[in-house]
Amino acid sequence: GRAAVLEASSHALALDRVRGVEWDVAVWTHLTREHLDFHGSMENYFAEKRKLVERAPFAVLNADDPWTARLTGVAPAETTYSLEGASADWQALDVEERATGLHFRVRSPLGEFAAQLPMIGRFNVANAFAAMAAAARLGARPDALVSGLASFAGVPGRMELVPGGEDGRDRDAQLGQHQHAGNEDDDHPDDIAEHLLQRIETLDAFEIVDVGL
């Protein structure tokens, strides 16, 4: 089957821009201090984002996010995921960050299996689990989940791996030797950007080049 994935912003929810959408699955990743110029407070921000969970028949909730405790039981049915060892239906095991990407094992209601994602940043493992749990709700099996992750290199410009070398050829070889990690995304607050750079610094195979910062 086919499915459409839509990122429903808190602004869209607050201004009823997605009022006519009939959701099949709502995914809750986390809530951080942003957009407070619009919402005024974290409570208001949470209330707007909660609407997505309220309107869906099934919710995928991040067990590592402290706000999730206030979302349990809101949707008629739900599943949970965790990167940090919290009690959850979907759990990440043996996470490794390599120059070739992220490697980990998945413990889930569908069984336990290995997976890899050609991206960097440990937080992307959590995003992968949110995506897998949502896709599984819509009928995807483990083999489809594994192949889907392995072929997804991310959104261009967001923690994008840029091949190194003078001519930029031979991506796989460059990943194993010397790789530039480019972050062209200026939508993130300064504290998030700093956190991303700190994560990249832990990987010896990468060189950080700030462009226009």
Side-chain angles (χ1 to χ4, degrees):
R2 297 171 65 89
V5 180
L6 174 68
E7 180 180 359
S9 69
S10 58
H11 295 72
L13 291 163
L15 298 174
D16 280 339
R17 294 173 180 167
V18 291
R19 170 61 70 177
V21 178
E22 295 183 3
W23 308 101
D24 293 307
V25 180
V27 176
W28 179 276
T29 55
H30 60 275
L31 193 71
T32 57
R33 294 188 62 84
E34 55 185 349
H35 308 311
L36 298 187
D37 57 331
F38 179 82
H39 296 293
S41 69
M42 288 295 291
E43 282 297 327
N44 291 342
Y45 183 23
F46 171 75
E48 296 301 339
K49 293 198 72 171
R50 175 190 164 109
K51 289 178 180 178
L52 183 62
V53 179
E54 293 173 343
R55 297 173 184 175
F58 188 85
V60 176
L61 306 175
N62 181 6
D64 298 325
D65 182 47
W67 293 88
T68 292
R70 296 170 58 179
L71 295 171
T72 302
V74 171
E78 64 190 35
T79 191
T80 54
Y81 67 95
S82 174
L83 171 64
E84 305 300 342
S87 177
D89 303 313
W90 294 74
Q91 293 187 324
L93 306 173
D94 304 327
V95 178
E96 294 184 17
E97 292 184 88
R98 306 176 191 170
T100 53
L102 299 159
H103 299 253
F104 50 90
R105 293 195 61 79
V106 179
R107 179 176 294 165
S108 75
L110 302 181
E112 188 170 321
F113 50 91
Q116 58 180 329
L117 183 65
M119 299 176 67
I120 58 174
R122 183 181 170 87
F123 64 92
N124 277 316
V125 177
N127 292 338
F129 270 75
M132 285 190 290
R137 169 66 177 181
L138 299 177
R141 304 304 301 169
D143 57 340
L145 300 178
V146 170
S147 62
L149 290 182
S151 62
F152 182 66
V155 178
R158 289 183 177 242
M159 294 296 288
E160 181 182 3
L161 292 176
V162 182
E166 295 182 0
D167 56 10
R169 292 182 300 178
D170 199 353
R171 173 185 170 90
D172 292 337
Q174 290 297 333
L175 279 172
Q177 299 171 20
H178 189 79
Q179 179 75 36
H180 296 276
N183 181 17
E184 303 166 17
D185 182 11
D186 58 3
D187 294 333
H188 292 81
D190 291 341
D191 58 337
I192 297 179
E194 182 179 356
H195 173 71
L196 297 179
L197 293 175
Q198 289 174 346
R199 293 299 304 167
I200 295 172
E201 284 180 334
T202 65
L203 301 175
D204 294 336
F206 295 90
E207 175 185 352
I208 296 176
V209 179
D210 290 339
V211 179
L213 297 181

